[in-house]
Amino acid sequence: MPHNREYWTGRIATALTWIAVAANAAGTIVVLLLVLAVNTDVVARGVFSAPFRGTVEVVQFSMVLIVFLQLPDVVRVDRLTRSDGFLAVLGDKRPRLSRWLARLVDGVSAAMMGLIAIAIWPEFVIAWTHDDYFGTPGIFTAPWWPVRLAIVFSAATCCLILAMKAITGRRVLEHVHIGAAER
């Protein structure tokens, strides 16, 4: 088994790619469930004059899940909304400096995502151990822990993806074929 850097970064990149894509797929399923819930509410209001109880809470809950479940894949494929204008202009005149700054930005971003994961972890533990719920009692309530867990998972995964980008210098983290690291 090879023990070189390209081999291990390729293996880690592949694992992170699978994790990010799976989380994105889970986020897409949440979008479909949200569409189903909102449409059920619309039909129930129009046909039965009885709204689906908890629609507002389901939308709030779902929006956070969608954003944080899909964030790692967005970071992985370098589609996060940001301004790269300076790096693009600098890249034309000083490509090495531009690549170095991009890696620095990825490293700082990885640190920030790591701090977010660390900061939210105790909130997840409290929500898990104390049966912390949100919503309106008697109408609709849901536990907070899945949302907090999604935030921790997302931030930690983004941290690892951004760290790999900083280490490898690749703008898009993807499955890397062993032996094709020179691409």
Side-chain angles (χ1 to χ4, degrees), residues 53 57 133-141:
R53 300 175 112 198
E57 290 84 356
Y133 288 85
F134 76 96
T136 307
I139 296 177
F140 181 88
T141 57

Side-chain angles (χ1 to χ4, degrees), residues 69-81:
L69 287 173
Q70 294 185 333
L71 184 61
D73 201 43
V74 169
V75 170
R76 180 187 68 85
V77 296
D78 206 33
R79 296 284 186 220
L80 190 62
T81 303

Side-chain angles (χ1 to χ4, degrees), residues 29-159:
I29 291 169
V30 174
V31 169
L32 294 174
L33 294 173
L34 178 61
V35 168
L36 182 64
V38 170
N39 284 331
T40 300
D41 181 56
V42 169
V43 170
R45 285 176 189 268
V47 175
F48 305 112
S49 296
F52 177 65
R53 300 175 112 198
T55 301
V56 172
E57 290 84 356
V58 168
V59 169
Q60 291 171 340
F61 189 81
S62 299
M63 294 306 290
V64 176
L65 284 177
I66 292 164
V67 168
F68 282 98
L69 287 173
Q70 294 185 333
L71 184 61
D73 201 43
V74 169
V75 170
R76 180 187 68 85
V77 296
D78 206 33
R79 296 284 186 220
L80 190 62
T81 303
R82 63 182 182 184
S83 175
D84 285 341
F86 175 72
L87 291 176
V89 170
L90 186 63
D92 292 339
K93 298 179 196 254
R94 308 270 314 262
R96 289 183 69 191
L97 178 60
S98 176
R99 287 191 303 270
W100 182 84
L101 284 174
R103 290 173 96 163
L104 178 65
V105 168
D106 286 336
V108 170
S109 299
M112 294 305 295
M113 285 298 194
L115 290 173
I116 291 169
I118 290 167
I120 298 298
W121 178 256
E123 292 184 27
F124 162 71
V125 171
I126 289 169
W128 176 267
T129 58
H130 291 89
D131 293 330
D132 190 14
Y133 288 85
F134 76 96
T136 307
I139 296 177
F140 181 88
T141 57
W144 267 118
W145 70 264
V147 171
R148 303 258 165 72
L149 180 61
I151 295 170
V152 169
F153 165 80
S154 175
T157 305
C158 287
C159 173

Side-chain angles (χ1 to χ4, degrees), residues 13 16-17 76 161 164-165 168 170-175:
L16 289 171
T17 296
R76 180 187 68 85
I161 290 170
M164 282 298 295
K165 285 180 162 191
T168 64
R170 295 178 187 257
R171 296 309 312 145
V172 176
L173 190 65
E174 58 192 348
H175 173 74

